Amino acid sequence: MDRWRILKILLLSSVSLLAMPSAEEIYQKSIKVLSVNKIKFQVKSEMQSGEYRQKQIFSLARVGNESKSSSLICFLYPKSIKGTAILLKKDSHTSSVLVYFPSLGRTRLIPKEKENDEAFGLGLSFAEIQNNTSRLKSLGTFSKDSKIYYKIEKDLGEEKTIYIIDKKNMVIQKMSVYKNKKLEKEIFIDSLIIFHNKKMISKWHIVDYVKNKETFYTIDKKSITSAFNKRIFRKNAITHCKP
């Protein structure tokens, strides 16, 4: 191979690398596509583990943007956890998770050492719900079924998450969670809908390989609204968690 051809290949490679957006840019665009600034809806879930089945219904309300947000999850079914609430507060500097237990009649701040515990059968830990975006890096792109995907890694030491993001529409397709290099769970985005001219997830499912269970989630489309009072995100309001 002559030196001019080698130089041409190196120049093209350099241009390609310069054109490649950073991992943070890719991730933030994918989150923005799925982010509605003010929204509330109900979710029905069904967990399957062998012959065992468990159904849950909860409402989720969110207000804010990428830099500052408040989210409230209220469990409506089954009766054993009805009224339980999870309040998440996040800004550019700090984040916190507050849980209200109706059986105890008190709230509890989830400490850092408990953030990796699963949140009431949701299939995700409190830390994963908070969605910390630190320590992201790009693993490049790959093609599958005539589509191109970005591959982004979030490395948190013992735990890391791999995000597969559709390059064309900038939507996360799958998240794979590893702990000590072992694949523990995968989260699949199954379908999207349009609300206020923005895309949002309407169906997704989580496969937990460690606990040998699969959980399916479906948003009740009729329940989607932006008409609610922001006071529900106050600490003293979550004790009255309602649909």
Side-chain angles (χ1 to χ4, degrees), residues 87-223:
L87 177 64
L88 302 103
K89 296 274 190 178
K90 179 182 175 184
D91 59 33
S92 56
H93 303 291
T94 60
S95 62
S96 64
V97 183
L98 191 68
V99 179
Y100 170 69
F101 299 92
S103 58
L104 302 176
R106 65 182 181 88
T107 57
R108 176 189 172 197
L109 186 67
I110 300 297
K112 291 291 182 183
E113 61 269 21
K114 294 291 184 180
E115 285 188 351
N116 288 321
D117 292 353
E118 186 175 332
F120 304 102
L122 288 178
L124 296 171
S125 67
F126 293 105
E128 288 169 325
I129 295 172
Q130 289 186 85
N131 200 22
N132 190 330
T133 61
S134 62
R135 303 174 75 173
L136 288 166
K137 69 177 181 179
S138 174
L139 300 180
T141 63
F142 68 95
S143 60
K144 184 180 179 181
D145 299 329
S146 301
K147 290 185 178 182
I148 299 176
Y149 298 92
Y150 289 116
K151 194 174 184 180
I152 303 296
E153 179 185 271
K154 179 174 68 176
D155 190 348
L156 297 174
E158 291 184 355
E159 185 175 296
K160 71 176 182 179
T161 302
I162 303 294
Y163 298 87
I164 304 300
I165 300 169
D166 189 318
K167 184 178 180 181
K168 184 177 181 180
N169 58 26
M170 295 304 294
V171 172
I172 295 174
Q173 302 292 303
K174 184 178 75 169
M175 292 169 271
S176 301
V177 181
Y178 295 80
K179 193 166 186 179
N180 295 321
K181 298 182 180 180
K182 181 181 178 182
L183 178 61
E184 291 204 333
K185 70 179 72 172
E186 290 188 296
I187 303 161
F188 298 86
I189 308 304
D190 298 322
S191 65
L192 305 171
I193 56 175
I194 303 296
F195 180 73
H196 286 188
N197 296 318
K198 286 190 176 183
K199 294 178 181 178
M200 62 175 283
I201 300 169
S202 58
K203 287 185 180 181
W204 68 100
H205 71 279
I206 301 174
V207 181
D208 190 321
Y209 299 106
V210 176
K211 297 182 179 179
N212 191 29
K213 68 177 184 179
E214 195 167 7
T215 311
F216 297 84
Y217 300 86
T218 304
I219 290 177
D220 180 355
K221 295 178 184 178
K222 294 181 180 179
S223 71

Side-chain angles (χ1 to χ4, degrees), residues 39-41 59-63 70-73 228 232-233:
I39 193 168
K40 184 180 179 183
F41 50 81
S59 67
L60 191 151
R62 181 186 180 277
V63 65
S70 296
S71 300
L72 179 65
I73 298 172
F228 61 90
I232 64 173
F233 300 107

Side-chain angles (χ1 to χ4, degrees), residues 42-48 53-58 75 77-78 81 120-123 204-206 214-220:
Q42 282 190 18
V43 179
K44 295 180 180 179
S45 73
E46 182 173 351
M47 185 273 287
Q48 302 175 0
R53 300 286 188 274
Q54 183 185 54
K55 293 182 179 181
Q56 288 186 347
I57 301 174
F58 59 91
F75 288 89
Y77 180 88
I81 59 172
F120 304 102
L122 288 178
W204 68 100
H205 71 279
I206 301 174
E214 195 167 7
T215 311
F216 297 84
Y217 300 86
T218 304
I219 290 177
D220 180 355

